[in-house]
Amino acid sequence: MELRLDGTHYPLETLGPGKRLGIWFQGCTLACAGCMSRHTWDPDAGTAATVPEVLGLWRRALADGADGLTVSGGEPLQQSRALAHLLAGAARLRDGARRHEGSAGSRPADLLVYTGYDPEELTPGRRRALDGADAVITGRFRVAEPTRLAWRGSANQRIVPLTPLGATRYAPYLTRESPGPRLQPAPGPDGALRLYGVPLRGELAALESRLGKDGVALTERSWRP
């Protein structure tokens, strides 16, 4: 099974609890105004990968003690079959690693998915694609509704637990404001500086101002459908 990705990053610490593997799907037709990831809109951009290749990254992250996997984009549900295969495989690897180690522990790694679709837009096919996820963060990004809620870019977005693990892991964060950094700068797969996270309004400008002192400027690739 092949999928199209914008990129991956490990360790990611701004899109879910703990140290995580981040996977960004390529392609999104929702085109939210103010989106900081417009470079992920074009379905023909990014790079092709196979589900086994991505699961290899997850296997290594688990061996390193990863707390979870976060899938974002782009819009993952616009590659629903690939997402379903990825989540199912990630859950099998997670559960198999726990059995092999012989210590279930109280904090197994969780699988989190970001989607711009609202709950009422989750058709049966989209819901099936999320069967392997422990929690999903739903809703369009609305630039006029900033929020400090953890891991959400606008106040309308909601964390929806889908499994008992998801309910346990995310219950403390349903209404909690983010106490730590919301942006994580890191080199991207193309060598450019990438920003991972969900900034509040004005935070990108503030970061650019700080970077500018060292001669670094932020630019954003854009694409219009």
Side-chain angles (χ1 to χ4, degrees):
M1 173 65 67
E2 191 172 87
L3 62 165
R4 195 134 198 107
L5 297 180
D6 170 61
T8 63
H9 183 71
Y10 179 82
L12 178 70
E13 299 177 344
T14 56
L15 293 176
K19 182 174 65 174
R20 311 177 71 82
L21 172 65
I23 300 170
W24 283 265
F25 276 49
Q26 182 72 31
C28 179
T29 61
L30 300 181
C32 299
C35 174
M36 68 173 285
S37 300
R38 284 180 287 177
H39 59 279
T40 67
W41 290 4
D42 185 350
D44 297 320
T47 58
T50 66
V51 169
E53 288 171 342
V54 180
L55 290 177
L57 299 177
W58 177 230
R59 184 181 291 106
R60 291 194 288 275
L62 285 170
D64 188 57
D67 295 296
L69 180 151
T70 296
V71 179
S72 187
E75 176 46 64
L77 286 175
Q78 292 182 0
Q79 297 184 61
S80 58
R81 290 185 65 246
L83 177 63
H85 282 269
L86 176 63
L87 292 174
R92 285 194 299 270
L93 284 175
R94 182 260 320 272
D95 297 341
R98 293 178 67 207
R99 287 193 298 270
H100 177 72
E101 293 168 3
S103 57
S106 59
R107 292 191 61 81
D110 71 90
L111 310 180
L112 172 68
V113 177
Y114 277 81
T115 176
Y117 290 109
D118 291 308
E120 60 270 20
E121 296 178 296
L122 296 180
T123 63
R126 291 169 183 161
R127 291 184 183 277
R128 283 193 297 272
L130 294 170
D131 279 349
D134 295 297
V136 60
I137 295 180
T138 64
R140 308 286 198 279
F141 170 68
R142 297 178 184 171
V143 69
E145 300 181 24
T147 183
R148 290 190 178 275
L149 290 172
W151 311 315
R152 279 153 284 183
S154 55
N156 62 295
Q157 295 176 330
R158 295 289 180 267
I159 299 176
V160 183
L162 301 176
T163 66
L165 171 60
T168 299
R169 182 66 48 83
Y170 288 93
Y173 304 102
L174 299 181
T175 59
R176 180 184 296 183
E177 294 187 352
S178 177
R182 296 173 62 93
L183 285 175
Q184 180 179 344
D190 53 5
L193 180 70
R194 291 289 180 87
L195 297 176
Y196 301 110
V198 282
L200 290 172
R201 184 187 297 175
E203 286 184 328
L204 285 177
L207 178 61
E208 183 168 21
S209 177
R210 292 196 301 272
L211 292 173
K213 296 177 182 178
D214 297 320
V216 178
L218 299 178
T219 60
E220 184 177 7
R221 289 178 292 163
S222 62
W223 177 80
R224 290 289 185 273

